[in-house]
Amino acid sequence: MPTESTGNAVSAVSDARDARSSAIFGIALSGGGARGIAHIGALRAMEAIRIPVDRLAGTSMGAIIAGMYAAGYTAAELTDLARSLRLLDVVERDETGLALLGHGKMARRLRDALGGEPTFADLQIPLVLTAVDLYSGELVLINEGSVIDAMLASAAFPGVFPPVKWNGRHLIDGGVLNPVPLDVVREMGADRVIAVYVTGEMGPHSAQHVDFRGQGFESIIRLLLNRTRWNPLMNIADRSLNIMSAKLVEQLVRESPPDILIDVALQGVGLFDLDQVDLCLRLGEESTLLRTSELIALRDGSLPQPWRRRWRAWWRRLTTDRRA
């Protein structure tokens, strides 16, 4: 659980807002499996730049990071938690026959970290997590009930984790329809939207060129996993979702452009490569710090007049309708 000595995510940036602006800042975090740990590095950089976080929305791994941050974890505490994470702590065989891996260990680890079963009403920052109804194909926005159940639903990568039952629905990974919920955080009332989009391998790939840069036992586990018969299936599923996500994000950015889109490119890091935590943290932080001048301008800029915001919203709807 977050500690009093280190404070929480709200107090870490609470002095970022003063009389200069009444803007509401929203952060949207994408998925990415182990690559999503880069979000912690991005949040660490935002804390250093003193970016307020008033709204959070997350998908898949981004849902887990966003949920932990909304519960009061600082980026520094999340960094320590990520570095302590071991693959065997979260991976177990699925007993339902609907996927390769089960949710049990991951759920227990989240309960330990959050001190029980928090609900959305217990959170310090308003949060929405996304998932997809497996049977209706609808995007489901979760902002009530068990935070852990919502995290697991949003991160239920098809074929890898089984669907999660929630309010009579069977939910799977939110990234199937919305890889980075920048439009969702805008709908939550954010005037300033910062989206962090973690991308994976898109170019030519061969198992012979996998770079095992990790150290210790986790790198050995990754090497063994890479030699299993189902690893190629997971790689194909992961790369297929990356391709689909890239197209969906292009559309999202056209229809509901964020103020800043931070693209974190992580090559050679797979869904479960937890031996690459430090690489993910570093690239997430560096990619965000590269946008420091823009982030500061966004933080310190005056809020557009209401008529101007309405005009921009009307123009986005008009241009979207014309394209349709």
Side-chain angles (χ1 to χ4, degrees), residues 75-152:
E77 290 168 337
L78 287 173
T79 296
D80 292 339
L81 190 64
R83 285 175 172 158
S84 72
L85 196 61
R86 298 292 177 264
L87 193 58
L88 295 181
D89 293 339
V90 296
V91 169
E92 67 178 11
R93 181 180 177 183
D94 175 55
E95 300 297 336
T96 68
L98 300 176
L100 292 171
L101 304 174
H103 289 299
K105 282 188 176 182
M106 187 182 299
R108 288 191 292 273
R109 183 70 187 232
L110 289 171
R111 290 189 192 99
D112 289 343
L114 293 172
E117 283 279 1
T119 67
F120 281 80
D122 299 320
L123 300 177
Q124 299 182 20
I125 301 172
L127 172 72
V128 172
L129 304 182
T130 67
V132 174
D133 187 309
L134 179 62
Y135 296 108
S136 72
E138 296 175 308
L139 182 70
V140 179
L141 306 182
I142 309 176
N143 64 354
E144 61 181 5
S146 166
V147 174
I148 292 175
D149 286 348
M151 289 177 175
L152 296 176

Side-chain angles (χ1 to χ4, degrees), residues 42-249:
L43 290 169
R44 191 162 62 188
M46 290 186 211
E47 287 183 1
I49 302 169
R50 297 170 60 202
I51 299 297
V53 181
D54 304 305
R55 305 286 188 272
L56 278 165
T59 291
S60 199
M61 187 60 165
I64 294 175
I65 302 299
M68 303 289 284
Y69 201 74
Y73 272 87
T74 63
E77 290 168 337
L78 287 173
T79 296
D80 292 339
L81 190 64
R83 285 175 172 158
S84 72
L85 196 61
R86 298 292 177 264
L87 193 58
L88 295 181
D89 293 339
V90 296
V91 169
E92 67 178 11
R93 181 180 177 183
D94 175 55
E95 300 297 336
T96 68
L98 300 176
L100 292 171
L101 304 174
H103 289 299
K105 282 188 176 182
M106 187 182 299
R108 288 191 292 273
R109 183 70 187 232
L110 289 171
R111 290 189 192 99
D112 289 343
L114 293 172
E117 283 279 1
T119 67
F120 281 80
D122 299 320
L123 300 177
Q124 299 182 20
I125 301 172
L127 172 72
V128 172
L129 304 182
T130 67
V132 174
D133 187 309
L134 179 62
Y135 296 108
S136 72
E138 296 175 308
L139 182 70
V140 179
L141 306 182
I142 309 176
N143 64 354
E144 61 181 5
S146 166
V147 174
I148 292 175
D149 286 348
M151 289 177 175
L152 296 176
S154 185
F157 191 96
V160 178
F161 292 107
V164 172
K165 293 182 181 179
W166 182 84
N167 285 1
R169 296 174 179 257
H170 291 76
L171 303 183
I172 59 172
D173 197 309
V176 170
L177 286 181
N178 193 325
V180 51
L182 50 92
D183 56 332
V184 174
V185 81
R186 181 81 73 183
E187 291 170 4
M188 294 172 68
D191 303 299
R192 302 284 192 254
V193 173
I194 302 168
V196 184
Y197 177 40
V198 179
T199 59
E201 196 84 40
M202 294 291 287
H205 175 80
S206 168
Q208 296 176 343
H209 292 93
V210 175
D211 183 7
F212 294 99
R213 289 167 289 182
Q215 299 178 355
F217 185 67
E218 287 299 301
S219 63
I220 297 173
I221 293 294
R222 180 152 77 107
L223 176 61
L224 294 174
L225 285 175
N226 192 64
R227 298 179 183 276
T228 61
R229 64 183 180 182
W230 45 266
N231 185 67
L233 300 178
M234 291 178 59
N235 286 338
I236 291 171
D238 185 27
R239 290 166 66 83
S240 299
L241 194 59
N242 285 338
I243 294 168
M244 182 176 68
S245 294
K247 298 301 182 183
L248 289 171
V249 170

